Amino acid sequence: MTNLNEYLGGRIFNAKELTPDLKKTLLDQGATQTTAIYQIKGERYCRRCLMKLPQNSGKYNYCRHCINLGKINSSDTLFITGSDIVFPIQEKYLDWDGELTDNQQRGVHELLNAFNRHCDHLVWAVTGAGKTEMIFPLIEQALIKQQRIAICSPRVDVCIELFPRLQKVFPKTTIGLFHGKSLERYHLTQIAIMTVHQLIRFEKSFDVLIIDEVDSYPLAGNQMLHQAIKKSKKSIGMTVYLSATPPRELLQKVQKGQVTLSKLYQRFHGHPLPEPRCHLLFKEINFLGINPRLRLKLNRIVSSHQRLMIFFPSIPVMEKFAQKLKKYYPTLSFVSVSSLDKKRLEKVQQFRQHQVQVILTTTILERGVTFKRVMVLVLNADAKEFSKTSLIQIAGRAGRDKKYFDDEVHFYYRYYNRQIQQACREITYLNQQVKK
Ligand SMILES: [Zn+2]
């Protein structure tokens, strides 16, 4: 027996994937049929991802942009399922007894204003400002209006971290977590948490679309994903962008009045952002095994059992360092993670649960993860992989807990470059804004 829930809600399917019976049922339920490739002014476009097909595609008569989601040939037909869903009315939606700070409350007020006016809105909040709590009242209002909400991030880890938090505060609402690595099949839920890539499969599905970490890879500068965001929102609805380091294009839209803005310079606990301490190394980090200056720092950390995140610009640099670390500190417990690591999520969990003292990571953990009481070290902070944005995000991993707001952040480098200078300046600037 087919579970219809796995198909409904503005989903896009290739007709080839559907049985005749299912097609008939979906059409009865409001689905529409359309050609997979359409033409405007002689140019051909893919209906699923809205990307242009090359003029002389020759034997490639399919869309190469969204091929990861299954091949779409020019002769194919797409089914777009109905998205007029009536969700059940509940007695109570939000079950949360936390308190918002005055700053957060101001942000919530601005968000709800934008919601009522169906206006797109950017929340520009420093790392640890409590963005997630700020979207609770917005989600609640949308639920009361029986609307559908998607919360998306370019990063899987961010989605995974968000899921249990929302389940906890909206216990009666159906919530789904969908991403490429998840075993959970798509099914219709009132709240959907997913990676931005998943949006390519939707059309006019969501009343409220919340995009977290809008400046982060792979969303930054990716035309297909930005179009997917536009396409998956209902014609009357709103998109909310959340970022600690918003991209220039978005700030330009704010200037033009196309997007409204909330700014939060203060962390939820009211303490300033930890300002990075900068250390010039005269030799490589692996000089004499581990650079003596760095080793001195590590000795102190290891003996004081301080929890530590160490960021590296690349996997090879990290792996080499991991070997050295093992050699010099044989009793130290640590894990290392990267984008290629299949056990990444488990390892992060181990660190979270204090099963290991240290986590070595590439920029994959620069954002979206929250640990209590953790010192942060960036090695080779002058490497090209660490942009200004990236360094600000990394520094933002520290001091997130009310009790341990002053966790240390250290940048180690051989050249004090522009990125390091700009990141440090921006953090200082943000802290000064609070004092004003
Ligand atoms: Zn496509």
Side-chain angles (χ1 to χ4, degrees):
M1 174 78 192
T2 312
N3 182 359
L4 257 190
N5 263 339
E6 291 179 3
Y7 296 87
L8 296 179
R11 289 279 278 182
I12 304 174
F13 292 97
N14 193 330
K16 282 193 292 201
E17 301 164 13
L18 310 170
T19 63
D21 275 356
L22 182 56
K23 281 188 216 173
K24 191 176 169 302
T25 316
L26 292 178
L27 287 172
D28 288 345
Q29 299 273 343
T32 52
Q33 286 185 80
T34 173
T35 52
I37 308 292
Y38 63 96
Q39 287 205 14
I40 296 178
K41 291 182 185 164
E43 300 279 8
R44 299 187 308 153
Y45 294 86
C46 166
R47 179 66 191 258
R48 182 167 65 187
C49 70
L50 305 184
M51 294 297 282
K52 200 196 279 185
L53 270 65
Q55 276 285 6
N56 300 311
S57 36
K59 61 180 178 173
Y60 297 111
N61 220 354
Y62 58 90
C63 176
R64 273 184 279 177
H65 300 283
C66 62
I67 183 125
N68 284 344
L69 304 179
K71 201 181 208 177
I72 285 187
N73 285 305
S74 54
S75 56
D76 286 342
T77 299
L78 298 184
F79 261 65
I80 303 172
T81 62
S83 58
D84 283 333
I85 315 285
V86 180
F87 290 98
I89 293 175
Q90 302 169 25
E91 257 174 51
K92 189 183 177 190
Y93 294 89
L94 178 61
D95 188 359
W96 184 63
D97 56 7
E99 265 183 43
L100 296 169
T101 64
D102 290 350
N103 275 324
Q104 282 174 315
Q105 249 155 16
R106 177 176 46 79
V108 166
H109 182 71
E110 288 162 353
L111 263 171
L112 293 180
N113 257 339
F115 171 72
N116 290 327
R117 292 187 291 125
H118 310 290
C119 188
D120 291 347
H121 192 83
L122 163 66
V123 177
W124 181 358
V126 296
T127 55
K131 289 179 284 164
T132 311
E133 291 80 7
M134 280 175 53
I135 61 169
F136 292 168
L138 171 72
I139 296 174
E140 185 187 31
Q141 285 307 310
L143 292 175
I144 290 171
K145 291 196 168 170
Q146 292 176 276
Q147 295 185 346
R148 194 170 182 219
I149 301 115
I151 305 161
C152 305
S153 166
R155 302 210 162 201
V156 157
D157 308 62
V158 176
C159 295
I160 292 171
E161 181 149 322
L162 210 51
F163 182 53
R165 289 178 75 184
L166 285 182
Q167 275 186 317
K168 202 173 160 203
V169 298
F170 296 106
K172 300 267 168 60
T173 309
T174 50
I175 308 181
L177 172 66
F178 311 114
H179 56 81
K181 289 179 186 160
S182 140
L183 296 174
E184 187 173 350
R185 275 173 78 100
Y186 167 80
H187 53 274
L188 182 69
T189 54
Q190 194 167 4
I191 298 177
I193 301 172
M194 54 194 169
T195 48
V196 182
H197 268 108
Q198 298 293 323
L199 289 178
I200 299 169
R201 298 178 194 272
F202 290 89
E203 188 170 304
K204 295 197 171 85
S205 301
F206 303 101
D207 302 275
V208 175
L209 195 51
I210 300 170
I211 312 290
D212 197 6
E213 310 288 357
V214 62
D215 57 298
S216 125
Y217 176 84
L219 178 57
N222 185 320
Q223 193 195 353
M224 178 169 68
L225 294 181
H226 279 281
Q227 289 183 152
I229 292 173
K230 246 193 215 163
K231 175 183 65 130
S232 51
K233 190 183 78 170
K234 286 189 182 168
S235 23
I236 297 179
M238 82 180 297
T239 308
V240 176
Y241 301 98
L242 307 175
S243 177
T245 41
R248 197 180 307 149
E249 308 85 71
L250 198 54
L251 292 173
Q252 281 166 351
K253 284 190 180 170
V254 170
Q255 270 182 345
K256 286 182 195 157
Q258 296 163 346
V259 175
T260 49
L261 172 71
S262 296
K263 271 185 183 179
L264 272 93
Y265 289 124
Q266 198 166 32
R267 290 194 140 183
F268 80 93
H269 50 46
H271 296 287
L273 295 160
E275 295 189 15
R277 298 171 206 189
C278 292
H279 308 273
L280 179 71
L281 295 178
F282 294 104
K283 302 278 182 196
E284 301 281 342
I285 51 168
N286 57 4
F287 178 69
L288 294 178
I290 294 178
N291 185 303
R293 214 172 151 197
L294 190 54
R295 220 165 125 191
L296 205 64
K297 183 78 190 163
L298 287 171
N299 287 346
R300 273 193 221 130
I301 293 168
V302 172
S303 59
S304 64
H305 304 286
Q306 166 76 48
R307 263 150 56 84
L308 175 70
M309 292 182 90
I310 312 182
F311 285 85
F312 296 86
S314 69
I315 300 173
V317 176
M318 178 172 80
E319 280 174 351
K320 257 190 212 154
F321 196 87
Q323 287 169 6
K324 302 270 159 65
L325 206 59
K326 209 175 217 166
K327 190 175 158 202
Y328 287 99
Y329 304 98
T331 57
L332 178 72
S333 58
F334 70 88
V335 285
S336 56
V337 296
S338 71
S339 58
L340 302 179
D341 195 335
K342 291 203 173 77
K343 290 193 175 155
R344 181 171 86 240
L345 305 174
E346 289 142 75
K347 288 178 177 176
V348 169
Q349 200 54 19
Q350 275 183 311
F351 182 67
R352 193 186 303 286
Q353 292 170 344
H354 294 243
Q355 289 164 4
V356 292
Q357 189 188 340
V358 182
I359 190 163
L360 276 52
T361 176
T362 57
T363 54
I364 188 77
L365 293 187
E366 74 179 26
R367 57 178 86 213
V369 289
T370 296
F371 304 110
K372 278 183 187 180
R373 198 179 194 181
V374 64
M375 192 188 289
V376 173
L377 260 54
V378 184
L379 303 190
N380 295 353
D382 49 349
K384 65 175 187 326
E385 287 84 353
F386 293 120
S387 62
K388 174 195 88 171
T389 308
S390 180
L391 290 171
I392 293 172
Q393 290 284 356
I394 290 172
R397 295 311 101 206
R400 296 176 81 92
D401 190 66
K402 193 161 53 201
K403 262 170 67 199
Y404 310 103
F405 61 87
D406 57 352
D407 287 334
E408 291 174 26
V409 178
H410 297 270
F411 290 169
Y412 288 88
Y413 51 83
R414 293 188 62 205
Y415 303 98
Y416 185 73
N417 63 10
R418 234 174 110 114
Q419 287 100 282
I420 300 175
Q421 187 191 33
Q422 286 181 340
C424 294
R425 262 195 206 160
E426 188 159 322
I427 294 170
T428 312
Y429 169 80
L430 291 168
N431 284 337
Q432 283 168 348
Q433 298 312 303
V434 179
K435 288 179 203 152
K436 275 183 184 170

